[in-house]
Short mmCIF file of all heavy atoms in Angstrom, two decimals:
data_model
loop_
_atom_site.label_atom_id
_atom_site.label_comp_id
_atom_site.label_asym_id
_atom_site.label_seq_id
_atom_site.Cartn_x
_atom_site.Cartn_y
_atom_site.Cartn_z
N ARG A 15 -22.84 8.52 -11.48
CA ARG A 15 -24.05 9.26 -11.87
C ARG A 15 -25.19 8.31 -12.17
O ARG A 15 -24.98 7.14 -12.47
CB ARG A 15 -23.77 10.14 -13.11
CG ARG A 15 -23.39 9.40 -14.37
CD ARG A 15 -24.54 9.21 -15.34
NE ARG A 15 -24.20 8.27 -16.39
CZ ARG A 15 -24.34 6.96 -16.35
NH1 ARG A 15 -24.88 6.39 -15.29
NH2 ARG A 15 -24.02 6.19 -17.38
N GLU A 21 -31.10 8.06 -22.86
CA GLU A 21 -30.03 7.08 -22.94
C GLU A 21 -29.59 7.02 -24.40
O GLU A 21 -30.43 6.96 -25.33
CB GLU A 21 -30.55 5.73 -22.42
CG GLU A 21 -29.67 5.02 -21.46
CD GLU A 21 -29.32 5.81 -20.20
OE1 GLU A 21 -28.33 6.58 -20.21
OE2 GLU A 21 -30.01 5.64 -19.19
N HIS A 22 -28.29 7.01 -24.61
CA HIS A 22 -27.70 6.93 -25.95
C HIS A 22 -28.05 8.14 -26.84
O HIS A 22 -27.86 8.12 -28.04
CB HIS A 22 -28.07 5.61 -26.67
CG HIS A 22 -27.50 4.44 -25.97
ND1 HIS A 22 -26.30 3.88 -26.34
CD2 HIS A 22 -27.96 3.70 -24.90
CE1 HIS A 22 -26.05 2.86 -25.49
NE2 HIS A 22 -27.01 2.74 -24.64
N ASP A 24 -26.70 11.10 -26.07
CA ASP A 24 -25.58 12.08 -25.99
C ASP A 24 -24.74 12.08 -27.24
O ASP A 24 -24.43 13.11 -27.81
CB ASP A 24 -24.77 11.95 -24.70
CG ASP A 24 -24.13 10.60 -24.45
OD1 ASP A 24 -24.37 9.66 -25.25
OD2 ASP A 24 -23.37 10.48 -23.46
N TYR A 25 -24.35 10.87 -27.73
CA TYR A 25 -23.52 10.87 -28.95
C TYR A 25 -24.36 11.10 -30.21
O TYR A 25 -23.80 11.18 -31.31
CB TYR A 25 -22.71 9.56 -29.05
CG TYR A 25 -23.51 8.28 -28.99
CD1 TYR A 25 -24.17 7.80 -30.09
CD2 TYR A 25 -23.60 7.56 -27.80
CE1 TYR A 25 -24.92 6.62 -30.06
CE2 TYR A 25 -24.35 6.38 -27.71
CZ TYR A 25 -25.00 5.92 -28.84
OH TYR A 25 -25.73 4.77 -28.78
N CYS A 154 -17.76 6.78 -26.27
CA CYS A 154 -18.86 7.30 -25.45
C CYS A 154 -19.20 8.75 -25.78
O CYS A 154 -18.39 9.47 -26.39
CB CYS A 154 -18.48 7.21 -23.96
SG CYS A 154 -17.14 8.26 -23.50
N GLY A 155 -20.40 9.16 -25.39
CA GLY A 155 -20.78 10.57 -25.49
C GLY A 155 -20.21 11.32 -24.28
O GLY A 155 -19.35 10.83 -23.57
N MET A 157 -22.09 12.62 -21.64
CA MET A 157 -22.96 12.72 -20.46
C MET A 157 -22.26 12.35 -19.17
O MET A 157 -22.40 13.12 -18.18
CB MET A 157 -24.15 11.78 -20.63
CG MET A 157 -24.93 11.60 -19.36
SD MET A 157 -26.46 10.74 -19.56
CE MET A 157 -25.92 9.05 -19.80
N ASP A 158 -21.58 11.25 -19.12
CA ASP A 158 -21.10 10.76 -17.80
C ASP A 158 -20.07 11.67 -17.22
O ASP A 158 -20.11 12.00 -16.04
CB ASP A 158 -20.48 9.36 -17.99
CG ASP A 158 -21.47 8.37 -18.50
OD1 ASP A 158 -22.66 8.66 -18.52
OD2 ASP A 158 -21.03 7.27 -18.94
N TYR A 208 -22.02 -1.12 -27.79
CA TYR A 208 -22.17 0.34 -27.68
C TYR A 208 -21.68 1.00 -28.95
O TYR A 208 -22.36 1.82 -29.54
CB TYR A 208 -21.35 0.79 -26.47
CG TYR A 208 -21.50 2.28 -26.16
CD1 TYR A 208 -22.44 2.72 -25.23
CD2 TYR A 208 -20.76 3.25 -26.83
CE1 TYR A 208 -22.61 4.05 -24.96
CE2 TYR A 208 -20.89 4.60 -26.55
CZ TYR A 208 -21.84 5.02 -25.63
OH TYR A 208 -22.00 6.34 -25.36
N GLY A 322 -28.10 3.93 -17.75
CA GLY A 322 -26.71 3.76 -18.22
C GLY A 322 -26.62 3.12 -19.58
O GLY A 322 -27.62 2.98 -20.31
N GLY A 323 -25.42 2.72 -19.94
CA GLY A 323 -25.12 2.22 -21.29
C GLY A 323 -25.87 0.96 -21.66
O GLY A 323 -26.19 0.76 -22.83
C1 LIG B 401 -22.55 5.21 -21.35
C2 LIG B 401 -21.75 6.32 -22.04
C3 LIG B 401 -22.55 7.62 -22.11
C4 LIG B 401 -23.95 7.37 -22.65
C5 LIG B 401 -24.60 6.20 -21.95
C6 LIG B 401 -25.93 5.83 -22.57
O1 LIG B 401 -22.71 5.49 -19.97
O2 LIG B 401 -20.53 6.57 -21.38
O3 LIG B 401 -21.87 8.55 -22.90
O4 LIG B 401 -23.94 7.19 -24.03
O5 LIG B 401 -23.80 5.04 -21.95
O6 LIG B 401 -26.82 6.84 -22.42
#
Side-chain angles (χ1 to χ4, degrees):
R15 63 99 191 89
E21 227 57 273
H22 295 267
D24 58 356
Y25 55 81
C154 66
M157 167 171 74
D158 300 347
Y208 185 95

